[in-house]
Amino acid sequence: MGQILEKFQGKQWRERQMRKITDKVFDRFKDETGKAYLKFEDLYIAVLLVYNDINKLLPGPHFDPPSKEEVRALMQECDMNLDGELDHEEFVKFVKRLTKDTFIIVSQGLIITLAVAPTVALLTKRTTEGVPGVGKVVQKIPNAVYASLVTLTVVMFQKVAEAKAI
């Protein structure tokens, strides 16, 4: 249940997740090139990696990365020292601005999941009550407990899928 509440904390959870992703991607480029900045070509590859991680780690629909033109325009806005490169903090700011709408969609998806799962649970409970052997056990479980168990199971499966994606 704590995992569900953590996701409802909203901004802090979102910022931690994005910081993990941006740090991982930026450090990968830093380790490979030995440079602490990203030029446009590396930045575009980094954006593709960020969107790959977002699609693996966060629940919801698949998100397509922006075009090269969109990346170039936003790069110019986030390049605070106007050197044509993004350092780590500029990259974090860049990714935050690039993905701001993504988290709105993810949050809506999470809310829908938490609203739909209990309803589906109650419908499946009614169906399962007619199954010989299992039906009597299911009938004895209160609806609220059954719905909570199914919802927690759905969230647990999402967390396992997240962990495997990392």
Side-chain angles (χ1 to χ4, degrees):
M1 194 66 157
Q3 294 169 347
I4 295 170
L5 295 176
E6 178 182 280
K7 290 186 180 186
F8 277 118
Q9 290 175 353
K11 191 173 184 178
Q12 296 86 14
W13 176 81
R14 179 179 69 224
E15 287 178 5
R16 280 195 310 272
Q17 296 303 310
M18 283 312 301
R19 190 63 188 219
K20 285 180 192 177
I21 292 170
T22 55
D23 289 350
K24 178 180 149 189
V25 170
F26 193 87
D27 290 344
R28 177 177 174 181
F29 277 92
K30 186 176 175 184
D31 292 344
E32 288 179 9
T33 65
K35 298 174 184 172
Y37 57 84
L38 297 173
K39 293 185 179 237
F40 176 75
E41 295 79 20
D42 292 333
L43 179 63
Y44 191 70
I45 294 169
V47 166
L48 296 177
L49 292 171
V50 165
Y51 271 81
N52 185 48
D53 283 351
I54 287 172
N55 286 324
K56 284 194 286 185
L57 297 175
L58 302 178
H62 173 82
F63 298 98
D64 292 327
S67 68
K68 285 186 175 184
E69 293 77 26
E70 292 171 303
V71 170
R72 191 178 312 275
L74 189 55
M75 179 185 181
Q76 291 172 351
E77 292 176 27
C78 294
D79 185 10
M80 302 314 285
N81 56 5
L82 304 174
D83 62 357
E85 304 164 342
L86 296 185
D87 63 26
H88 189 247
E89 289 309 311
E90 290 171 332
F91 179 65
V92 170
K93 179 182 173 186
F94 171 87
V95 172
K96 274 185 183 178
R97 290 185 59 191
L98 190 67
T99 59
K100 66 180 179 197
D101 294 335
T102 303
F103 281 96
I104 293 169
I105 294 168
V106 169
S107 298
Q108 290 171 346
L110 182 62
I111 290 168
I112 290 169
T113 298
L114 294 176
V116 170
T119 305
V120 171
L122 294 177
L123 292 174
T124 59
K125 181 180 183 210
R126 288 189 190 116
T127 304
T128 312
E129 286 174 349
V131 176
V134 178
K136 290 182 182 181
V137 175
V138 172
Q139 284 177 343
K140 292 180 182 179
I141 300 172
N143 287 344
V145 173
Y146 189 79
S148 297
L149 288 173
V150 170
T151 303
L152 288 174
T153 303
V154 168
V155 171
M156 214 167 59
F157 278 118
Q158 287 178 341
K159 285 304 264 183
V160 169
E162 261 181 39
K164 287 182 180 180
I166 296 173

